[in-house]
Amino acid sequence: MTDRPLDGITVVSLEQAVAAPFATRQLADLGARVIKVERNTGDFAREYDTQVHGMASYFVWLNRSKESVVLDLKSAHGLAALRQLIAGADVVVQNLAPGAVDRLGVGAKESLRVNPALVYSSISGYGAGGPYQDKKAYDLLIQCEAGLLSVTGTPDFPSKVGISIADIAAGMYAYSGILSALLKRSRTGVGQHIEVSMLEALGEWMGHPYFYAEYGGQSPARTGASHATIAPYGPFDCSDGVVFIAIQNDREWTRFCAEVVERPELTEDVRYADNARRVQNRSELEATIRPVLRSLLRREVTDRLDSASIANATLRTMEDFSAHPQLEARGRWRQIDSPVGPLRSLVPPVNGDWEPRMDGVPALGDDTIRVLAEFCKDL
């Protein structure tokens, strides 16, 4: 056992789906004890699919290293148990429906009154106050409301991001906010309520298209897998596959012309003199370089790009990602336990002088009796 940053921190989480479970799983990675409070039917993410030997892929991803406690919060006994868990916690995380924790009497104000050192984190779709306060929010809907679909997809069709990016953004900010609040508490001894909305979390990530549109007079165009505001940047066909190329500046453009497509005269073409003009004349630019790249094998193109120090990538499937040679070389996979047997899981991306906690995925209610006996001795 290594000394982890959050060893000794107890988290009680009223969580479901993605955003809050993502935040608390990362706290668990750092050593926190996470007590996941579930209803009798469990977090509904348990039922999203059955792809992992009968378990849901979402649930396996988000809930390792946690303890599952089933409570009936409609009963006096269940509610009393929850209050005692909160009284003994360092952190509470909740992403229940708007107003649910207040109706139960375990909202931030009530909980901080009982436990003034508590860090209480609320995650919601749109935040408290305002006309959207009580509006239901799911990942795709927040992608729409934050304008993400306006810049993602092809010119003809908007596309959602293929992962739960709004949930993940909210979970990331809740996680970092909790760490910040714990750091402040270490100086003051006082807890606080921190609030994260999915709209504002994803909105922060939309900063580039916002500023581009707000002050440039037009939104970035939907350009499929190409970059909306940099060229050449995106997928290009070779004779036996596809290579993704990312030109970042005029120096790289010069090397690309001379060393990759072997057309150094392109750097003298006024249409391509800088990135803004390359984007403006993207169609003519690509019509010039695509035939050259299509005449070459993918390995030839990537070798030339690497030699010219120009960033490039291979379009991988999830199977390819699972077998990625870089992850294998760096030893980034571990086996974790679960109710359906050992599962291969990616090591958390932050590397420090501690070994991340990677305990098993809990079955529903696995820890109810033990945890309640520890925290609720008078019930």
Side-chain angles (χ1 to χ4, degrees):
M1 174 70 71
T2 59
D3 181 27
R4 300 185 179 100
L6 295 184
D7 283 349
I9 295 295
T10 297
V11 179
V12 172
S13 192
L14 299 162
E15 61 181 29
Q16 56 193 1
V18 177
F22 187 53
T24 58
R25 199 221 72 196
Q26 292 178 93
L27 297 173
D29 292 343
L30 296 183
R33 178 185 187 183
V34 177
I35 299 170
K36 180 184 181 76
V37 176
E38 300 188 69
R39 69 193 82 190
N40 292 335
T41 53
D43 178 345
F44 52 72
R46 287 182 179 272
E47 306 299 328
Y48 276 171
D49 60 65
T50 57
Q51 293 295 104
V52 186
H53 304 314
M55 293 189 73
S57 53
Y58 267 104
F59 193 85
V60 168
W61 166 43
L62 296 167
N63 290 283
R64 67 168 182 250
S65 305
K66 298 180 184 180
E67 300 168 64
S68 173
V69 171
V70 170
L71 294 177
D72 178 4
L73 299 183
K74 294 181 180 179
S75 72
H77 182 275
L79 202 51
L82 176 60
R83 288 186 175 125
Q84 291 198 30
L85 287 174
I86 291 173
D90 297 286
V91 177
V92 167
V93 181
Q94 70 87 16
N95 69 330
L96 302 186
V101 289
D102 293 318
R103 290 191 294 271
L104 291 169
V106 292
K109 287 183 180 179
E110 296 90 340
S111 298
L112 281 161
R113 190 178 300 118
V114 172
N115 184 354
L118 185 67
V119 172
Y120 193 108
S121 176
S122 298
I123 303 173
S124 64
Y126 296 100
Y132 280 48
Q133 172 179 279
D134 297 321
K135 193 176 178 72
K136 286 187 175 181
Y138 300 109
D139 188 84
L140 170 60
L141 309 182
I142 298 296
Q143 290 190 39
C144 293
E145 294 285 352
L148 180 57
L149 266 69
S150 75
V151 298
T152 304
T154 68
D156 295 326
F157 297 102
S159 298
K160 71 181 288 293
V161 175
I163 58 173
S164 300
I165 191 169
D167 285 307
I168 292 168
M172 285 298 301
Y173 283 114
Y175 166 63
S176 60
I178 290 165
L179 295 179
S180 300
L182 287 171
L183 183 62
K184 184 176 180 181
R185 189 185 75 169
S186 72
R187 298 196 307 268
T188 66
V190 178
Q192 63 176 293
H193 179 207
I194 63 173
E195 181 193 6
V196 176
S197 87
M198 293 167 64
L199 177 64
E200 291 158 16
L202 188 57
E204 168 63 23
W205 290 9
M206 295 297 294
H208 156 247
Y210 158 73
F211 281 110
Y212 185 97
E214 184 77 4
Y215 296 99
Q218 61 181 357
S219 293
R222 293 195 301 267
T223 53
S226 297
H227 199 291
T229 59
I230 304 176
Y233 196 126
F236 292 86
D237 291 334
C238 304
S239 63
D240 62 341
V242 177
V243 170
F244 279 66
I245 298 171
I247 302 291
Q248 288 292 300
N249 52 54
D250 292 339
R251 295 187 304 278
E252 290 186 358
W253 167 244
T254 298
R255 293 200 301 271
F256 177 80
C257 293
E259 301 177 39
V260 179
V261 295
E262 299 179 338
R263 294 283 304 276
E265 73 277 6
L266 292 176
T267 60
E268 305 300 321
D269 193 319
V270 68
R271 294 174 298 173
Y272 315 137
D274 56 35
N275 180 66
R277 279 179 276 192
R278 289 194 292 273
V279 171
Q280 183 179 0
N281 298 291
R282 187 196 302 268
S283 296
E284 298 95 319
L285 170 64
E286 293 189 355
T288 301
I289 64 176
R290 284 188 184 278
V292 178
L293 297 173
R294 278 197 296 265
S295 71
L296 301 170
L297 293 170
R298 184 172 58 181
R299 173 50 60 190
E300 291 180 274
V301 174
T302 57
D303 285 347
R304 291 186 186 186
L305 289 165
D306 288 340
S307 178
S309 296
I310 293 172
N312 62 88
T314 299
L315 178 61
R316 295 179 183 272
T317 65
M318 292 314 302
E319 290 79 9
D320 295 332
F321 171 74
S322 177
H324 201 295
Q326 182 69 4
L327 297 176
E328 181 67 27
R330 284 173 47 81
R332 303 307 293 174
W333 297 102
R334 298 285 188 279
Q335 292 288 327
I336 63 170
D337 293 329
S338 82
V340 294
L343 300 172
R344 183 170 173 262
S345 188
L346 192 63
V347 175
V350 176
N351 301 295
D353 64 358
W354 67 89
E355 183 70 18
R357 182 180 176 190
M358 297 188 69
D359 296 342
V361 179
L364 179 61
D366 253 358
D367 308 285
T368 303
I369 294 174
R370 178 178 50 79
V371 170
L372 294 187
E374 178 183 350
F375 283 84
C376 311
K377 293 181 171 58
D378 58 340
L379 288 181

